Amino acid sequence: MTGGIAKTLICGLLGLILAFGAQGAGLLRSLEWQSWNARVRLLARPSPFTEHIRIIELDQSSLDWGARENGLSWPWPREVYGLILDFCRRAGAAALSLDVLFSESSLYGVEDDRALALAGLDNGRLILSFVLGEGQSASWPGQVPELPVDWRLGDMPPGHAYSRAGFPTPELLSGASALGMVNQLPDADGIFRALTPLAFFDGKPAPSLALAAYLLNRPGSQVSRLNSSTLLIRSAAAATEDSAGTLSAWRETRISLDAPLELGGRAILNFRGRSGTHAAFSAAAVIQSELRLREGLEPVIAPEELRGRHVLFGFTAPALLDLRPSPTDGSFAGVELHATALDNLLAGDFISPVPSWLTFVLAGILSLAAAFSALRSKRLAQLLILVPAFLVAPPALSMAAYRASFQLPLAPILLAIFLSLTLSILLAYATEGRQRRFLKSAFSQYLSPEVISQIIQEPGRLKLGGERRLLSIFFSDLESFSAISERLAPEDLTMLLNEYLSLMSDIILEEGGTIDKYEGDAIIAFWNAPQEQADHAARALRAALRCQEALEARRTRFQSLAGRPLVMRIGLNTGPAVVGNLGSRSRFDYTMLGDAVNLASRLEGVNKVFGTRIIVSQAAFEAAGALDLRKKPLQDTEFTGRDLGLLRVVGRQEGVRVFEPLRPAEAEARAGLLENFAVALCCFQAGDLSAARTLFVPLAAEDPPSAAYLRRCLEIMETGLLAAPDADWTGVWELSAK
């Protein structure tokens, strides 16, 4: 047991260390990203707040409409955006966030900027975009009202602060209610999976576009840092959300970042689906709707579509270069990333990274469990179930974690388990496997695969000693084999024996028998040891019949090899015997001893007397469930046979009743002869030898057992016993030769 624990620890911990070493070296980063993409595509679902967000997209059809209907070239005059602001104000949108950088004055003059600013003032809920790290501004603009947020950042260090920023023009700033940061960075593979919710500029916190839109509707909101990687937003619920009954008056939203805040930690996005999941309207349709409403006409889009909704405006036309690859799509509009972040804020379900220590502990538990299970597995079938089960566990856990809004790293855990399983299997192959291969090689010629498997699982049974078991015992021999061996060259004799013994041995092993030994052409086998077999007698009898049938099927082949037909005699008996490893401490054989063994050997020789191929004791015949052919119907049994009478073999005082086993079909075909034989045998056993002789005479020409009994009747009569025998007559045929 101690050795097993040591092996488990070695394999499990080594696999764990190698896997997390590879992760630390960045070797698993690409695999982890790909697995995360697969999880997102498979599990992304809309939230209850997805319907609270609308997107107005400046798509290719809007650009075409502007050029075709209004002669608008790109970039559009900014007063055109004013129509969108007016429609959102008319509709009663909760806020309008423009994912557009207006850091330079309009090509159409300063009045164009002022027109958009006036529309922003009328709207009263306009959020403009700015970018950090580029531009000419070194201080926060004073024209924009501060968000109604109590920023309580405690002892937040300066950390990741930007010194430059690109803000909208001063004319446009006067119309904004808030500013939102839009610069975001993808992962190293170019895919956007997370956004920065908060950065720092000019000593002030700079919210992202999504966070600014979220906070604008929540006066008195408080943002604090729980720790270096967690933000807590405690805010009032928006009126539209309260009316839906989905939020209490106050709520707390935690944002767990993928890195410390001072290092620019990002919030992992909980994607809601593929591009287009958030309902979107083309900018052209919105502009047309506003113009038609001003003329008293029916709008293209009903204002109710935007009522109480968070509206984001952005570019989706390919030529405007604001498409980003995401885990769900190769082209995901930048405005959709901000919409996803806002959706996560509303639902409070950004993806939270699982702590590294917890990932390591979980991987360690699974790796050790995998190593322990692999080292304990004794069969290939167990490994074929075990290995897939452990390799499926990490993906299943990672998907369950995703559904609970957690990011559980998959690649290091999966690699740790794979390495632990591989090391364990290799170690088992090099240690226990060597012993198993030796046992399998040593016993494959003598034991069935089932028996070998049992010994491999319990090698301790292979020790000196025996046990008493009820066995079914098989002895076979070839008739006149000495004469055959004298006629054949050694090479030909070897070929004949190998082919014959292989054919018979395969049948015995298929029936679950144990081959005790070969003695020249003789085969000695038994059933019900070392593996217990409830149907051992039936297996033995079936094997005997199959051996004779196989020999008959290949009669021509064996006759060509031997120069004469091969005739095999088989004796079967069922009885108690001692079976086990018998011999010396340095060399022993798995064999059997006992009177039942000797009787089986004698019954094989009895075939010479009766001219039969198989002789079975009454004990074996009945234990196999065979049915005496005198009992009907024969089709109800697999085996039948005829009673050949009572015999007393050499070395035994007790008589034994023996049977010649037959297949039911053969018994039916010979029904008349067998019935006459049974009547004649009854006369013999009753002592009426004259009647027995008369009945055996017509049968003797075609039935060797009848001929044998006819000779026996004549032998007894020649001694002068012509009348009925005396009271000492038992009907037992006493054999004088083996």
Side-chain angles (χ1 to χ4, degrees):
M1 186 64 180
T2 303
I5 294 175
K7 292 176 183 177
T8 297
L9 290 174
I10 290 172
C11 296
L13 294 180
L14 185 57
L16 183 69
I17 292 170
L18 289 174
F20 277 81
Q23 184 195 34
L27 301 179
L28 304 182
R29 185 178 302 164
S30 178
L31 178 60
E32 183 61 38
W33 282 335
Q34 293 303 315
S35 73
W36 181 253
N37 294 347
R39 276 173 271 177
V40 174
R41 287 193 294 270
L42 181 64
L43 301 174
R45 297 289 185 275
S47 78
F49 296 91
T50 300
E51 279 298 310
H52 289 216
I53 298 172
R54 294 288 185 266
I55 293 175
I56 299 175
E57 54 184 10
L58 186 53
D59 54 6
Q60 189 61 47
S61 65
S62 296
L63 290 176
D64 294 341
W65 169 82
R68 183 179 62 253
E69 302 293 335
N70 300 285
L72 296 176
S73 61
W74 186 254
W76 282 359
R78 290 173 183 171
E79 65 176 340
V80 175
Y81 298 103
L83 295 172
I84 296 174
L85 270 65
D86 289 345
F87 184 79
C88 290
R89 174 184 54 78
R90 184 193 300 272
L96 173 61
S97 304
L98 295 184
D99 182 18
V100 184
L101 290 174
F102 295 121
S103 55
E104 296 181 359
S105 297
S106 171
L107 296 177
Y108 298 91
V110 67
E111 292 303 321
D112 188 31
D113 285 337
R114 288 173 180 163
L116 178 57
L118 288 174
L121 288 173
D122 289 340
N123 180 281
R125 313 295 293 172
L126 175 62
I127 303 168
L128 293 179
S129 299
F130 70 95
V131 62
L132 292 175
E134 56 185 80
Q136 303 302 316
S137 298
S139 61
W140 190 265
Q143 299 97 316
V144 181
E146 293 186 9
L147 283 172
V149 176
D150 178 16
W151 295 96
R152 300 192 303 185
L153 297 171
D155 58 349
M156 181 70 198
H160 192 74
Y162 291 88
S163 59
R164 311 294 295 177
F167 291 103
T169 63
E171 291 79 12
L172 291 175
L173 286 172
S174 63
S177 299
L179 293 175
M181 173 189 62
V182 294
N183 54 316
Q184 303 294 340
L185 293 175
D187 289 319
D189 63 348
I191 294 179
F192 287 79
R193 300 180 180 89
L195 293 183
T196 303
L198 187 68
F200 298 91
F201 172 74
D202 190 24
K204 296 179 176 63
S208 67
L209 188 67
L211 183 57
Y214 177 79
L215 296 173
L216 183 62
N217 284 334
R218 291 161 177 79
S221 296
Q222 300 170 351
V223 178
S224 58
R225 185 182 71 137
L226 288 181
N227 53 56
S228 63
S229 300
T230 307
L231 290 176
L232 174 64
I233 304 175
R234 189 170 188 272
S235 58
T240 56
E241 292 158 7
D242 273 341
S243 62
T246 55
L247 291 174
S248 58
W250 285 85
R251 60 173 293 176
E252 288 187 351
T253 300
R254 293 172 184 252
I255 305 178
S256 297
L257 308 177
D258 62 357
L261 184 62
E262 55 266 30
L263 298 180
R266 302 177 306 162
I268 303 171
L269 294 175
N270 194 340
F271 283 85
R272 303 311 189 193
R274 298 181 62 86
S275 177
T277 297
H278 293 97
F281 304 99
S282 73
V286 173
I287 293 170
Q288 291 176 63
S289 296
E290 175 60 22
L291 292 173
R292 291 177 66 85
L293 286 170
R294 291 181 181 183
E295 296 174 4
L297 302 175
E298 189 72 22
V300 178
I301 300 171
E304 290 77 13
E305 290 286 346
L306 304 184
R307 184 159 299 149
R309 302 296 197 265
H310 293 271
V311 181
L312 295 95
F313 175 90
F315 301 152
T316 61
L320 301 183
L321 304 177
D322 196 30
L323 298 179
R324 306 283 186 262
S326 75
T328 60
D329 296 85
S331 295
F332 199 81
V335 68
E336 290 187 285
L337 290 173
H338 296 295
T340 302
L342 179 56
D343 195 329
N344 293 176
L345 282 165
L346 294 172
D349 65 350
F350 277 103
I351 299 292
S352 298
V354 172
S356 299
W357 67 267
L358 183 56
T359 303
F360 187 83
V361 169
L362 179 60
I365 292 172
L366 291 174
S367 297
L368 291 172
F372 177 79
S373 300
L375 290 168
R376 295 278 294 176
S377 297
K378 303 297 183 183
R379 298 181 181 179
L380 178 60
Q382 291 176 317
L383 285 175
L384 291 177
I385 297 173
L386 176 74
V387 171
F390 271 103
L391 293 181
V392 166
L397 288 173
S398 69
M399 287 190 288
Y402 184 95
R403 295 305 296 268
S405 300
F406 286 96
Q407 182 192 45
L408 177 65
L410 172 59
I413 299 177
L414 190 60
L415 181 60
I417 292 175
F418 175 78
L419 292 175
S420 297
L421 286 170
T422 302
L423 292 171
S424 301
I425 292 171
L426 291 175
L427 182 60
Y429 184 84
T431 54
E432 286 91 344
R434 186 186 301 117
Q435 181 186 34
R436 295 180 190 179
R437 293 191 299 276
F438 168 75
L439 292 174
K440 188 169 288 187
S441 174
F443 289 99
S444 61
Q445 301 299 317
Y446 309 100
L447 304 177
S448 67
E450 294 82 1
V451 175
I452 294 174
S453 297
Q454 187 183 52
I455 290 176
I456 288 174
Q457 293 179 27
E458 301 178 68
R461 297 184 64 172
L462 288 179
K463 60 184 180 181
L464 200 61
E467 59 180 325
R468 189 175 179 83
R469 282 279 189 92
L470 183 67
L471 302 181
S472 288
I473 305 153
F474 175 108
F475 273 76
S476 75
D477 200 4
L478 287 178
E479 183 180 279
S480 304
F481 186 74
S482 297
I484 294 173
S485 61
E486 290 173 359
R487 295 180 60 254
L488 296 179
E491 296 82 2
D492 296 334
L493 180 63
T494 300
M495 180 186 298
L496 171 65
L497 264 182
N498 286 343
E499 189 167 336
Y500 163 76
L501 292 175
S502 295
L503 179 62
M504 300 301 114
S505 298
D506 287 347
I507 293 172
I508 292 170
L509 294 177
E510 286 171 10
E511 293 295 341
T514 299
I515 297 177
D516 186 327
K517 61 178 69 71
Y518 301 109
E519 293 183 350
D521 60 299
I523 303 173
I524 304 171
F526 53 87
W527 280 258
N528 205 37
Q531 185 182 40
E532 292 187 3
Q533 298 161 318
D535 59 342
H536 55 90
R539 289 171 178 259
L541 183 51
R542 189 181 302 112
L545 290 168
R546 287 183 60 195
C547 284
Q548 293 291 0
E549 292 163 358
L551 188 62
E552 179 63 27
R554 305 194 57 179
R555 176 175 296 278
T556 302
R557 166 65 178 169
F558 284 122
Q559 184 168 349
S560 67
L561 293 175
R564 60 185 294 176
L566 288 189
V567 177
M568 178 174 59
R569 299 186 295 259
I570 300 173
L572 286 181
N573 181 39
T574 295
V578 174
V579 61
N581 298 302
L582 308 177
S584 68
R585 289 184 175 84
S586 60
R587 181 179 178 84
F588 54 79
D589 292 320
Y590 192 76
T591 187
M592 55 184 170
L593 295 173
D595 182 63
V597 180
N598 296 332
L599 178 57
S601 175
R602 297 290 183 268
L603 293 181
E604 179 274 314
V606 170
N607 285 289
K608 302 175 188 177
V609 176
F610 288 109
T612 51
R613 298 293 180 263
I614 307 173
I615 293 290
V616 183
S617 69
Q618 182 177 6
F621 191 77
E622 293 177 349
L627 189 64
D628 191 322
L629 59 84
R630 292 171 291 185
K631 300 177 181 178
K632 306 291 184 177
L634 293 181
Q635 57 266 32
D636 292 343
T637 181
E638 180 183 1
F639 311 113
T640 186
R642 61 168 157 177
D643 183 357
L644 291 180
L646 285 165
L647 304 178
R648 184 178 293 116
V649 298
V650 176
R652 287 180 64 93
Q653 299 300 316
E654 297 289 332
V656 58
R657 186 171 296 280
V658 297
F659 289 80
E660 180 189 18
L662 302 167
R663 295 287 192 185
E666 182 184 3
E668 291 284 2
R670 302 172 59 193
L673 184 150
L674 296 175
E675 289 176 3
N676 291 334
F677 175 86
V679 174
L681 181 61
C682 287
C683 292
F684 178 86
Q685 292 177 334
D688 190 350
L689 301 186
S690 296
R693 181 190 62 180
T694 302
L695 292 171
F696 281 129
V697 167
L699 305 177
E702 57 176 314
D703 184 42
S706 296
Y709 266 105
L710 178 58
R711 290 192 299 271
R712 181 58 178 163
C713 289
L714 294 175
E715 288 173 2
I716 296 173
M717 288 179 173
E718 287 175 0
T719 64
L721 191 60
L722 300 177
D726 57 26
D728 293 333
W729 176 261
T730 60
V732 176
W733 186 343
E734 186 168 349
L735 300 177
S736 58
K738 297 182 179 179

